[in-house]
Amino acid sequence: MSYLELKNVDKYYGDVHAIKGVNLTINKGEFIVFVGPSGCGKSTLLRMIAGLEEINDGDLVLDGNEITHQAPSKRDLAMVFQSYALYPHMTVEENMSFALRIKGEDQSVIDQKVAKAAETLNLTPYLKRTPKELSGGQRQRVAIGRAIVRSPKVFLFDEPLSNLDAALRGQTRVEIAELHRDLNATSIYVTHDQVEAMTLADRVVVLQGGVIEQVGTPMELYEAPANKFVAQFIGQPQMNLLSASYFSGISPEAVDVGIRPEHFTIVEAGQGAISGQVELVEALGNETLIHVCLEGAGEKLIVRQYEQPTVKVRDTVSINYDVSHLHQFDVKGEAIR
Amino acid sequence: MSTKKSKLTTSLIVRTIAAWGIALMLFFPLIFMGITAFKTELQAIAVPSLWAFEPTLENFHVVNERSDYMQFAWNSVVTSVVSTVLGLLIAAPAAYSMAFSPTKGTNGLLLWMLSTKFMPAVGALLPIYIIFQQFGLLDTKTALVIIFTMMNLPIMVWMLYTYFKDIPHEILEAARMDGASVWQEFRHVLLPLGIGGLASTGLLCLVLAWNEAFWALNLGAAEAGTLATMMVSYSSPEGLFWAKLSAASLMAIAPIVVIGWFSQKQLVQGLTFGAVK
Amino acid sequence: MPRLLLSPAVITLLIWMVVPLALTIYFSSIFYNLMQPDVTGFAGWMNYEFMITNPAFTDAIWNTLVLLASTVAITVIGGLAIALLINEAFPGRGIVRLLLISPFFVMPTVNALLWKHMMMNPIYGVLAQIWTFFGLTPINWLQDLPLFSVILMISWQWLPFACLILMTSLQSMDREQLEAADMDGANYWQKFRYMYLPHLARPISVVIMIEVIFLLSVFAEIFTTTNGGPGTQSTNLAYLIFNEALQSFDIGVASAGAVFAIILANIVAIFLVRIIGKNLEK
């Protein structure tokens, strides 16, 4: 059941074709994450949905209505900005109630909705304060509160966690996930952080250069990346890419073969398919990352093992791989299935 | 450690004395004028200058009677206030548009506006004089309001532009997302956030209009004369003597100097035209 | 929408610029003397020739430039010195600030009268009394040093402007940067040269630009004190044109003068934009 639909949407900045004919269908209640490297157009695409950037070509349909050129104020969408964009001259309460007040909602309804949102977000004690008097995390929650009191058709999040420190970011991420579970509201969330993308999304949209590379659930992207870009963008550390010559029994069209670090295992000398010299051992406690330089061409790969390190730097090691987890890519970088 | 401390104190004392000395020296003409306003004419030109004397309000009475001070003051108030309000009404939308929907031409447009200030007033005097004569506007407050508005417009646009540019774009976008119309966005977000900028821009233009003498002299000598022109009428040899001149001067500058004192922090901030962040 | 909001300001300024400019150029090319209403018609370059050959003209241009350059120099250097002096806290800084800014609010006509009668009067003027106190012969300022007197008055008015803007921007200077310079062993002069001065480049440009705009057309001070004299010693271009128009009633010649004034202003403006334009662009 399509709720929000982008049909062949284009965006130009002068001669620069920033968004190149994007098609996307979003279902009601879905949590969609736009992810990609900086400059890939993810924020632009979000702002086009919001109405803050003009759509140069194509159509945008929301809940059965065409809204391609409608003013942002008429679209009934709520946005959480990267900078939070709180109204500095208003208290938390006034910030959260602003949209309802200008809509001319009943004061009793406004009070009730604001009180409820404030309670959900633990903001009740701060309602009379101004944004200046709040911490970063609290401001962030006010920004979310401002969006939820309105019960909009779609929530838009523009990198909402990027101004928080690491600990708070993790915590708020969990809160947003819970919030979405409770409200079941359609949401679009832009981030460059793949952990946020993987943990929050029902479906992830990977963008690069104004083009959608792949749309899918987090696991689909991880297990069956559509091309080399997605394969290397999702997963930390990156998927290893080796030339096809190391492998036998693969498609004749394959040029590169990708293997995730956890699908390599270090084996007895001479037992493995590949061998090389250890360059660096990163012992992280729960896992160990072993950087290996292969013999011959000098290609490098990373092996992940979930046990204490068994090898040292400059050891020569033999490596085996899990045949069922090979990703083969053709000349164009597309996955071969 | 103790030597360092005493050295610091010495430098503080030196700096304090120097700063106060310079400030008092620059302010001296105004103090002296203020004192002279309360002297008799004979006391005013006494050599050496008198510092102890019995103050008199005589000068103020004479000035008031002889020159119809209230009429000039009223003209000054009307022309400077109306031109400032009018200027803000024209400049604010332009500055808003340039700050929040900048285009490639915005910078050029700003420079062009400023360049109109490089056109010397004398260059425009004759045509303006003749046009106003045609429309029967000579020596009217309307004429001065028009001129003062035009004269200050580029500076107003520029000042407001630098203020508006400091307001984060995203806050206005947030208002738009919250469903605010253009008017609501202006009324509830831009105005409260930009009020400081509007106030200091308005104040500066008030000062400039109040003190303007070239146009006031050439276009509004009699009926529409402002305080600036009243003062000129005293410069002629048959005018008043120095004590009365001081009283008149005091009355002409006091309102704007007092307003200036109260708003100097804001005003100076605005005058930096965004040169100071 | 943006165009709609811009147009009132743009249209107003366009009219304000184009109409007087066109009319001035037109008047400068015809015979237009209020005392000789029967002499009319196209004058060609006659008015310009008349203006240029007037010996007062070169004096006026020279005086305009001298007045501009000296006032800008005095106010910027003096303002910078005072700003550095009061940059750090000392007892009564708030009041000192108030005292310093006051001359800026004084209207030019009062400023001129103040200096003419109270400060520079050769008999009872304050400066004369000081001169006498030191056993010197009092100077008849407006007679003997007319242009310098005018420069003095205008500098008094604009010094506060320069000083307070430079002071405000000094306050915004990055403390850590100065501390880093201290750690690097910079002395006061080196800090001034490599820290303060680059930081002040932009505000100084603003000060110079605003002052040039206002000082190119100084009028009231000259009108009220020296009347351009003695002779042409303190006549600037603005005053000369005024004299031509409203005292000789020759609008044609005055308009030709005005065209020169506009050209001069534009030369100065181009010069200025060349030098400080980079600082303003940021």
Side-chain angles (χ1 to χ4, degrees), chain A residues 43-289:
Chain A
S43 276
T44 306
L45 196 58
L46 187 80
R47 290 169 57 82
M48 286 160 76
I49 295 171
L52 297 172
E53 296 284 348
E54 201 190 332
I55 294 174
N56 295 130
D57 202 7
D59 292 317
L60 179 65
V61 179
L62 173 66
D63 201 10
N65 303 312
E66 215 245 52
I67 58 161
T68 319
H69 298 293
Q70 205 172 39
S73 54
K74 302 267 173 5
R75 296 188 181 193
D76 197 14
L77 310 174
M79 183 144 162
V80 177
F81 291 86
Q82 185 171 10
S83 67
Y84 317 143
L86 301 179
Y87 309 122
H89 57 295
M90 298 185 195
T91 62
V92 169
E93 188 174 18
E94 288 165 341
N95 260 285
M96 283 167 54
S97 62
F98 182 67
L100 299 176
R101 278 187 287 137
I102 60 172
K103 218 162 102 191
E105 197 82 65
D106 258 12
Q107 191 58 46
S108 59
V109 178
I110 296 176
D111 290 345
Q112 187 204 333
K113 284 188 173 173
V114 169
K116 186 158 171 262
E119 206 192 309
T120 319
L121 294 162
N122 293 324
L123 285 171
T124 314
Y126 310 110
L127 281 177
K128 298 289 176 205
R129 297 203 190 167
T130 56
K132 245 198 335 246
E133 303 162 310
L134 301 178
S135 71
Q138 288 163 344
R139 285 180 207 177
Q140 216 281 333
R141 292 211 298 277
V142 176
I144 293 177
R146 190 166 66 180
I148 62 180
V149 289
R150 290 178 43 201
S151 341
K153 287 183 175 153
V154 180
F155 284 98
L156 307 175
F157 296 88
D158 190 4
E159 308 214 18
L161 305 185
S162 57
N163 283 340
L164 299 178
D165 62 49
L168 210 49
R169 204 180 306 157
Q171 185 193 328
T172 315
R173 197 178 70 216
V174 174
E175 285 171 8
I176 290 178
E178 283 170 0
L179 207 61
H180 177 248
R181 203 188 51 216
D182 294 344
L183 300 172
N184 202 27
T186 315
S187 307
I188 304 175
Y189 187 108
V190 164
T191 181
H192 62 268
D193 182 324
Q194 50 160 307
V195 179
E196 286 171 27
M198 300 296 277
T199 52
L200 288 170
D202 291 323
R203 282 194 299 154
V204 178
V205 175
V206 183
L207 284 150
Q208 193 210 5
V211 172
I212 292 185
E213 294 284 350
Q214 191 173 3
V215 181
T217 66
M219 279 307 117
E220 278 168 14
L221 296 188
Y222 194 78
E223 282 167 359
N227 51 41
K228 245 163 45 175
F229 175 78
V230 177
Q232 291 216 291
F233 189 76
I234 304 286
Q236 185 66 35
Q238 277 191 350
M239 179 187 279
N240 297 297
L241 267 190
L242 298 173
S243 84
S245 58
Y246 285 99
F247 303 87
S248 52
I250 55 173
S251 156
E253 277 157 46
V255 177
D256 292 304
V257 173
I259 304 177
R260 296 213 180 267
E262 61 268 31
H263 298 133
F264 278 126
T265 37
I266 306 245
V267 293
E268 294 278 312
Q271 305 276 306
I274 313 170
S275 64
Q277 196 182 40
V278 177
E279 282 196 322
L280 175 68
V281 177
E282 292 180 284
L284 301 172
N286 62 335
E287 62 180 30
T288 306
L289 300 177

